[in-house]
Amino acid sequence: MDPLDKPSREKLIFYLTMPLSSIIIFSNLFIIIGIACNRQLHNTPNYFFLSLLVADLCTGITLPFIPLMTLDRQLDFKHCLVMYIFPNFLFLSFLFNLVMVHYERYLCIVSPLHHSQFWVHRCFPLALLIVWFPPLLYASLPAFGWNNWVEPNSNKRSDSNETFLRSTTSQNSTKEDEVCSYKQVFPKAFIYLEVCGLVLPAMLSIVAMTGRVLWIARKQLQNICKLHRAVDRLQQQQPSDHEQQLNLRYAKCVAAVSLTFLVCWVPYIIYQLMSVTALQTGVSLPSSSLYIIMSCTGIGSMAIIPLILGLANKQYTEPISRLMLKLRNRWRGGQNNRDVIEQDV
């Protein structure tokens, strides 16, 4: 049994999700404003990234509500569907946008001279439709009948000789049926299909594309090093330190990618494994504090990936940095003027 009751679990969710949600929301707004203010960034690749930022912003807004989905509540059928379908849709759309951004950048690196001829660039509206409409369609399947919801009236019997005790039992079962739970909205097959058919393939595709990009970068680095060695031999010079610097940069890049994967993906993978284990064994993990902590940190850490990609590019943050610098200079200038006036007086 979990030592925390329902109010304590709600407080735990609040204290875990609110800092992560605030960071995700303000950071995404910071990058979105930077892209909107810089006209040089108004192109197709950045439109894909902007779509990812919008999806990540929505994920940050709904982050405090996602762990609450594991807690049972007294809601009717319509409100219960909205409570579970809407956050699930935003999370799947974020995942699809993340795959699309990695795929677009993968094409730019694999085929730098012909990447503009691929369907992603030629059919940009279709690509955006793919990352938003299928998640909405799949997340809405419980609203079209694929759910375990039991209507309260289905337990009522038409027998005219029912006793008072049996009617009391029927009323109690009605109250239990009105409890909104993820088990009533999402069947096991739905969760298995989402985890094994959508989430895991998306993660594996991102890992595969990232590994392919690193392999291509390694091959290019080896070719550059060969050219440097040939030039050094012709000039009868000793090998320069430039090759070592390139190898060091590549090593730092690999370390950064590995660290990002460990920090952002491993908690979410553990969260998914715990979810599947809970379904297979029937253990009440969704009500435990450990499951709540893993769900908050797992989803929150994965939502930080776009922020790492955006904040690492100075073009996205340069407009806001200039604006903040101007405001700081004006504030300092006004403060200096006040000090001069006070000295004169």
Side-chain angles (χ1 to χ4, degrees):
M1 297 294 292
D2 195 287
L4 297 178
D5 54 0
K6 185 176 179 180
S8 300
R9 291 196 294 269
E10 291 180 348
K11 290 182 179 179
L12 177 63
I13 292 172
F14 176 81
Y15 290 125
L16 286 175
T17 57
M18 289 308 297
L20 286 173
S21 179
S22 301
I23 293 173
I24 293 171
I25 291 173
F26 287 108
S27 299
N28 278 287
L29 289 175
F30 183 81
I31 303 174
I32 290 173
I33 294 174
I35 296 176
C37 294
N38 192 348
R39 293 183 179 180
Q40 296 179 353
L41 299 177
H42 294 178
N43 48 44
T44 302
N46 289 312
Y47 289 152
F48 281 114
F49 190 65
L50 187 62
S51 177
L52 173 62
L53 293 175
V54 173
D56 192 32
L57 177 64
C58 296
T59 303
I61 295 174
T62 58
L63 179 60
F65 301 97
I66 294 178
L68 291 176
M69 294 168 63
T70 60
L71 304 180
D72 297 340
R73 295 180 177 275
Q74 295 289 338
L75 293 174
D76 58 0
F77 179 63
K78 293 182 180 179
H79 291 86
C80 186
L81 285 178
V82 173
M83 177 182 174
Y84 285 95
I85 289 177
F86 188 66
N88 193 35
F89 155 64
L90 293 178
F91 167 72
L92 289 177
S93 63
F94 163 75
L95 192 62
F96 275 54
N97 275 278
L98 188 62
V99 174
M100 183 61 70
V101 168
H102 279 80
Y103 177 66
E104 191 276 332
R105 296 191 175 185
Y106 168 77
L107 292 177
C108 293
I109 294 175
V110 172
S111 182
L113 300 178
H114 305 285
H115 70 277
S116 60
Q117 300 178 2
F118 289 101
W119 70 273
V120 176
H121 291 268
R122 289 188 290 104
C123 303
F124 172 70
L126 177 61
L128 284 183
L129 186 65
I130 290 175
V131 297
W132 288 98
F133 183 72
L136 177 62
L137 182 62
Y138 183 81
S140 301
L141 289 179
F144 293 106
W146 195 12
N147 57 68
N148 293 329
W149 188 270
V150 179
E151 292 292 339
N153 295 328
S154 63
N155 290 334
K156 293 183 179 180
R157 298 180 179 179
S158 58
D159 188 2
S160 58
N161 296 324
E162 281 186 342
T163 59
F164 176 76
L165 179 61
R166 184 172 297 179
S167 63
T168 305
T169 305
S170 177
Q171 292 177 0
N172 292 334
S173 64
T174 300
K175 292 181 180 179
E176 292 177 358
D177 290 336
E178 291 176 353
V179 174
C180 177
S181 173
Y182 80 98
K183 296 180 180 179
Q184 294 180 331
V185 177
F186 300 134
K188 287 185 178 180
F190 179 91
I191 298 177
Y192 280 127
L193 182 59
E194 180 173 335
V195 174
C196 300
L198 296 178
V199 177
L200 291 180
M203 294 170 57
L204 292 176
S205 64
I206 292 175
V207 172
M209 287 185 288
T210 304
R212 174 67 175 171
V213 168
L214 291 176
W215 184 81
I216 293 174
R218 181 62 180 173
K219 288 293 183 181
Q220 293 177 351
L221 178 61
Q222 291 177 353
N223 293 331
I224 293 173
C225 291
K226 289 180 180 179
L227 291 176
H228 278 286
R229 291 171 186 172
V231 172
D232 292 337
R233 289 174 183 174
L234 291 176
Q235 295 179 355
Q236 297 180 355
Q237 294 179 357
Q238 295 181 353
S240 60
D241 295 335
H242 188 65
E243 181 178 346
Q244 296 180 356
Q245 293 177 0
L246 291 176
N247 290 323
L248 182 60
R249 289 182 182 179
Y250 178 78
K252 289 181 179 179
C253 180
V254 173
V257 171
S258 302
L259 182 61
T260 302
F261 177 80
L262 291 175
V263 173
C264 297
W265 283 107
V266 170
Y268 182 75
I269 293 173
I270 297 174
Y271 160 66
Q272 290 291 344
L273 292 176
M274 292 178 66
S275 301
V276 175
T277 303
L279 290 175
Q280 292 177 345
T281 60
V283 180
S284 59
L285 283 175
S287 61
S288 66
S289 57
L290 177 61
Y291 186 87
I292 292 174
I293 294 173
M294 292 309 304
S295 64
C296 295
T297 55
I299 299 174
S301 61
M302 192 185 64
I304 298 177
I305 296 177
L307 306 181
I308 297 175
L309 297 175
L311 295 176
N313 193 336
K314 294 182 179 181
Q315 290 182 339
Y316 296 150
T317 59
E318 186 177 1
I320 301 299
S321 299
R322 289 180 179 178
L323 179 61
M324 295 178 64
L325 183 61
K326 290 181 180 179
L327 293 176
R328 187 182 66 177
N329 292 334
R330 289 182 180 179
W331 181 77
R332 287 184 176 180
Q335 189 176 10
N336 292 332
N337 292 333
R338 291 178 183 176
D339 295 338
V340 171
I341 294 173
E342 290 178 356
Q343 291 177 1
D344 293 338
V345 173

